[in-house]
Amino acid sequence: MVLVGVSRGHNTDHAGDQPTRDQPVTRQPVTNDEVARAFADMATALELLGANRFRTASNSRVAREIRDMTTNLADLVNEDPATAVARLCALPGIGKGSAEKIVELMETGAMNEHQKLMAEVPRGLFDVLDVPGIGPKAARVMWQELEIESVDDLMAQIDTEAFRALPRMGEKTIANIKEAVAFRAQTASRTPIGQALPIAREIHEALAALPGVERAAYAGSLRRGEETIGDLDFLVSSSEPEAVAEFFVNAEGVTKVLAHGATKCSVRLERGRVAIQADLRLVPLEAFGAALMYFTGSKEHNVRMRERSIKRGMRLNEYGLFEGNEERPQDLGKAPVAAADEEAIYAALELPFIPPELRQGHAELDQPPTARLIELNDIKAELHAHTVASDGSMSIEELAQCARNRGYHTIAVTDHSVSQVIANGLDADRLRDHVDAVRAVAARIEDISVLAGSEVDILADGSLDYDDEILALLDVVVASPHAALRQDPEAATARLLKAIAHPLVRIIGHPTGRLINRREGLSPDMSALYRAAAEHDTALELNANSQRLDLRDRHVRGAREQGCAIALDTDAHREENFDQLVYGVLTARRAGLEPEGCINTWPAEKLHTWLRAGR
DNA sequence: GCCGTTTTCGGCCCGACTGTTTTCAGTCG
C-alpha cells in the first residue's frame, strides 16, 4: 500500500502490503473513508493555522459529505476521469477546488495540499486540540509561543511560569485543562449507544418525576440514534427550574460540575464503566419544541434550518421561529410563529416533520422523506438467534417463548457452525440432531413458526463451513464472517461475493464483522456487495447488537438504493438480547429504511416463501 | 472554500457559559 500522506486505517501492518523493489507498484483504489479523513485532517490543520474559519468549515463539510456517501468516489472518478471534476462539483458542499483535490488523490495516491498542511502542523497538536476546553486559538498560541506539539509537551509545561503567562491562562483554566487531560485518558472514545441509552432513560425518568416538571426529553446524538454518543443532552420545562438544576448537578455518578447556570448545567458523569458528559437545558414550556429541535441537532441540520428561515424572512433559534431578522427577537417581546412543538416549526418552513434520525444535515431538507420509517412494532420475525446447542443461554423452547412474548410469527434457530470452536459450533452430526430437535419443538408449537437454521461461517476464501447437502436440510441459512477479519479489501470482497451468490444462503450476517470502538472488521467494496445481493436476492443483515450495528446506517442506505433486502436481527444469545432490537431500528431509521425493505416485517407467508426461494 | 429565485462578489447560524477581563474572547454545541 503506497498511499503517500493519507493514513490508511486498515491493515497497514498486513504482510505483503509493502511493494518490494522487484514488484511493480500497484495501488488499491482510494476509499471514501480515506478521502474523508484527508479533508478532515486538512480542516483541523487549517484551524490550528488560524485560517479563515469558512475555509476550515468547508473542508469539514466535504469530509462529512464524503464519509456518508453511499457510492464509491473511486468508481465515480474511474467511470470517466475527464468529466470527474464536473460530476464531483454536482455533489453538495463540493466545489471545484475540492473536486480537483479528490481527483488528484484518486489518480496519484496523494494530495499535495494535504501533504503540505500535514508537514506544517505537528500531528500531536491534533490531540491537544481534542482536549475539551482547548480550542484552536489556545492550541495555536501554545504551539507558537512554547513549542507545545503534543499532549505530553502540554503536561510537561503546564506548571511553568511561561505557560501561566499565556493569554487568558489563569488558575482555573489550567486546573480545568489538567482535569480534562486526565478524564480524556480514561475515556478516549465516544460511548456506544448501547451503554448510553439505558443511562439516559434512567436520568430522563428521574427528571420527569421531579415536582414541577412539565416536560422532559433527551436530545442530541442519542435522539438521532447515532451508533456512538458524545454526551447526553437533557431538556426540561419546569415551574421549579432551580430545583431541577440542583438535582442534576447532584445526580448519582456526577464527578464534576462543569457549568451551573440559570438555563444550562453541564456535568461529568460516571456510571459503571461509562464516563460521559451530560448537559441539562432548562427551557420555557412554550418554547420546548424549538429547544428540542435545537438541541437534537445535528448541528449541520440546524444550520440548514436557520438558513432556510433567513431565506423566508424569518429567524430560528432555540426560543422559536420568528418573523423578521432582528437579533434576539425573544427579548423584544415578539410572539414566535412557532415554538411549542417541532412539527409546527417544520410546517412553518414548508417541510414535513423530519424524524430525528434523519436530521443529518445532508439532503433531508431538499428531499424530505416520503415513506414511513420502520418502527419497533413492525418487526415480526427474528431470523438470527442462538441456543445452548452452541453459545446461547436459552433452550429452543425458551427462544420460541421470547419470540412469542414479542408477538413475532417466526423465530429461526441459527446456532454456530463447526469452525466456531470457541462458540461450541456444531459439527454436521450435531447439526442433524439439532435440526431434529428444532423440528420436534416446531411440531408442538402452533402459534408461531420455529425454523431450523444455522449461522454458518463464511471461511476466509468465501466457502461455507458445511457441505451443501447439510445446508439443504435447513429452513434458513445465515452466512457470517467470524475469522480472518483483517484480510485485505479485495479478498474480503471476493469472500463475501461468493457467499452472497451461494444459492442456499438467504442472509449475510453482520457483513463486515466490525465491533464498535474495538474492531474495524472487513472493508469490502460495499457497492459490489449491494449489487450482488440485489441480483441474487440475498438479504444483508443489520445486526442490531449495539456492539455491532453492522451493516451501519450508510451501508443500509446504500443497499436499499440498489434494491437489496435488509434483514434486521438481534443475534440473540440470551433473553435480554431481544431488547437490542431498538438499536437496530434506530440505525435502520437513520438509513431511511421503510418497513417493506426489511424482511423481518413481512407477513409469515411472504417471508417463508422468500426463505424457500432458490432451494 | 462554497454558493446564488436579492448575488459570480461578498456573504457565510445562533446563543450560553466560563474565566479572564474591566467589556469580552474563547469554547462549545
Side-chain angles (χ1 to χ4, degrees):
Chain A
M1 239 162 264
V2 291
L3 197 77
V4 184
V6 178
S7 60
R8 278 204 178 255
H10 191 77
N11 282 342
T12 44
D13 58 347
H14 198 274
D17 279 347
Q18 297 303 318
T20 66
R21 253 176 309 170
D22 302 320
Q23 264 178 334
V25 173
T26 54
R27 205 171 43 240
Q28 295 180 358
V30 181
T31 66
N32 288 12
D33 278 347
E34 287 161 349
V35 181
R37 262 201 297 275
F39 278 93
D41 284 348
M42 291 197 293
T44 308
L46 287 166
E47 230 183 346
L48 290 164
L49 290 167
N52 177 312
R53 66 196 172 96
F54 298 109
R55 196 177 153 209
T56 304
S58 164
N59 277 281
S60 292
R61 171 152 189 214
V62 172
R64 257 177 27 82
E65 296 286 355
I66 291 174
R67 188 199 62 198
D68 292 339
M69 272 177 67
T70 55
T71 53
N72 287 335
L73 276 175
D75 292 346
L76 190 151
V77 171
N78 290 336
E79 196 180 302
D80 180 12
T83 63
V85 169
R87 283 177 295 125
L88 286 169
C89 284
L91 300 172
I94 298 180
K96 190 155 174 281
S98 297
E100 284 172 350
K101 288 184 192 119
I102 292 167
V103 172
E104 179 196 0
L105 178 55
M106 289 294 170
E107 291 183 341
T108 69
M111 192 191 290
N112 190 37
E113 169 100 355
H114 177 260
Q115 288 178 314
K116 192 173 133 277
L117 287 170
M118 289 304 103
E120 228 170 312
V121 182
R123 190 76 204 190
L125 209 54
F126 284 32
D127 300 329
V128 175
L129 185 57
D130 249 1
V131 176
I134 298 182
K137 293 272 167 53
R140 180 169 158 78
V141 76
M142 288 175 198
W143 177 37
Q144 303 275 291
E145 300 292 323
L146 301 177
E147 294 177 9
I148 287 171
E149 300 190 344
S150 67
V151 173
D152 284 347
D153 290 351
L154 166 63
M155 294 316 283
Q157 293 203 46
I158 197 163
D159 288 319
T160 63
E161 276 304 309
F163 194 86
R164 175 68 181 82
L166 292 175
R168 312 188 56 77
M169 200 55 72
E171 294 285 331
K172 285 196 169 178
T173 303
I174 288 173
N176 285 341
I177 291 174
K178 283 184 183 174
E179 244 183 309
V181 169
F183 184 70
R184 187 174 162 279
Q186 144 198 10
T187 58
S189 49
R190 290 165 60 90
T191 305
I193 189 171
Q195 293 174 7
L197 187 58
I199 295 172
R201 281 180 166 163
E202 214 177 284
I203 294 172
H204 172 234
E205 271 177 39
L207 289 170
L210 292 175
V213 169
E214 295 147 321
R215 227 178 139 180
Y218 61 79
S221 50
L222 192 63
R223 184 163 179 245
R224 298 199 307 277
E226 286 201 18
E227 63 188 38
T228 61
I229 306 303
D231 53 33
L232 306 177
D233 294 298
F234 298 96
L235 221 58
V236 174
S237 292
S238 172
S239 57
E240 298 173 42
E242 298 85 2
V244 177
E246 201 57 33
F247 170 84
F248 187 74
V249 300
N250 290 300
E252 181 203 333
V254 169
T255 55
K256 182 172 170 63
V257 178
L258 301 163
H260 188 172
T263 65
K264 179 188 167 182
C265 296
S266 196
V267 300
R268 236 179 252 150
L269 198 66
E270 294 186 27
R271 296 257 183 115
R273 297 198 322 279
V274 179
I276 194 165
Q277 184 173 321
D279 298 333
L280 169 71
R281 320 281 177 150
L282 294 153
V283 302
L285 183 62
E286 58 273 19
F288 196 90
L292 182 59
M293 173 182 284
Y294 184 71
F295 295 117
T296 296
S298 66
K299 190 178 172 206
E300 293 77 13
H301 178 83
N302 288 344
V303 170
R304 306 286 161 80
M305 289 291 286
R306 292 190 289 259
E307 286 172 349
R308 189 180 180 95
S309 305
I310 291 168
K311 276 186 194 153
R312 286 165 168 70
M314 293 186 273
R315 187 181 183 94
L316 177 63
N317 61 28
E318 62 260 55
Y319 298 98
L321 179 67
F322 298 87
E323 286 287 357
N325 63 355
E326 297 101 330
E327 280 184 20
R328 306 190 60 86
Q330 66 276 14
D331 294 344
L332 305 174
K334 287 185 83 164
V337 177
D341 55 287
E342 291 183 325
E343 286 83 353
I345 296 172
Y346 283 112
L349 292 170
E350 299 169 83
L351 288 166
F353 179 77
I354 298 182
E357 298 90 341
L358 291 180
R359 300 180 195 171
Q360 296 166 27
H362 294 306
E364 69 269 13
L365 300 193
D366 306 319
Q367 292 142 34
T370 48
R372 175 174 79 78
L373 298 184
I374 191 167
E375 295 169 13
L376 266 178
N377 287 338
D378 290 321
I379 301 296
K380 298 296 178 203
E382 170 64 59
L383 299 172
H384 182 172
H386 298 265
T387 71
V388 289
S390 60
D391 59 347
S393 69
M394 293 173 283
S395 66
I396 299 165
E397 288 87 349
E398 287 166 340
L399 194 56
Q401 185 60 45
C402 283
R404 179 186 289 113
N405 291 345
R406 283 166 171 77
Y408 293 172
H409 57 60
T410 299
I411 173 79
V413 181
T414 58
D415 280 298
H416 285 289
S417 62
V418 60
S419 285
Q420 283 299 299
V421 177
I422 199 164
N424 192 22
L426 283 65
D427 62 26
D429 287 339
R430 284 183 62 214
L431 178 63
R432 281 198 186 84
D433 292 344
H434 192 44
V435 168
D436 290 343
V438 173
R439 301 234 193 275
V441 172
R444 286 202 299 275
I445 294 178
E446 290 185 349
D447 53 341
I448 64 172
S449 300
V450 183
L451 304 181
S454 170
E455 182 186 17
V456 57
D457 261 47
I458 306 172
L459 306 178
D461 65 354
S463 60
L464 300 182
D465 207 15
Y466 292 126
D467 294 337
D468 287 1
E469 67 175 291
I470 301 291
L471 295 176
L473 300 172
L474 303 169
D475 303 318
V476 52
V477 175
V478 179
S480 310
H482 284 111
L485 295 175
R486 294 174 59 80
Q487 65 188 163
D488 66 58
E490 283 73 17
T493 305
R495 173 190 194 177
L496 290 165
L497 286 177
K498 193 170 168 185
I500 286 170
H502 194 293
L504 296 173
V505 172
R506 298 312 271 138
I507 298 168
I508 303 294
H510 47 73
T512 77
R514 69 100 172 231
L515 293 176
I516 292 173
N517 287 352
R518 294 191 357 234
R519 181 171 75 201
E520 190 171 3
L522 302 171
S523 301
D525 176 348
M526 297 306 293
S527 289
L529 301 194
Y530 308 151
R531 286 191 298 271
E535 181 193 340
H536 294 282
D537 201 15
T538 303
L540 299 182
E541 180 184 78
L542 193 186
N543 190 297
N545 184 300
S546 62
Q547 297 180 48
R548 292 191 181 273
L549 295 176
D550 173 22
L551 304 173
R552 54 177 72 187
D553 50 11
R554 60 177 182 267
H555 294 155
V556 174
R557 183 179 292 278
R560 287 302 297 152
E561 285 170 0
Q562 296 293 324
C564 218
I566 301 296
L568 182 41
D569 296 313
T570 66
D571 195 354
H573 285 68
R574 53 191 68 245
E575 180 173 3
E576 59 269 29
N577 292 162
F578 277 78
D579 295 330
Q580 298 268 309
L581 186 61
V582 60
Y583 305 114
V585 169
L586 284 167
T587 302
R589 289 171 62 84
R590 290 178 57 78
L593 184 65
E594 75 286 18
E596 182 60 23
C598 174
I599 63 173
N600 307 67
T601 72
W602 294 352
E605 198 182 322
K606 178 177 178 180
L607 175 64
H608 297 164
T609 303
W610 182 85
L611 287 171
R612 279 191 301 269
R615 57 179 54 238

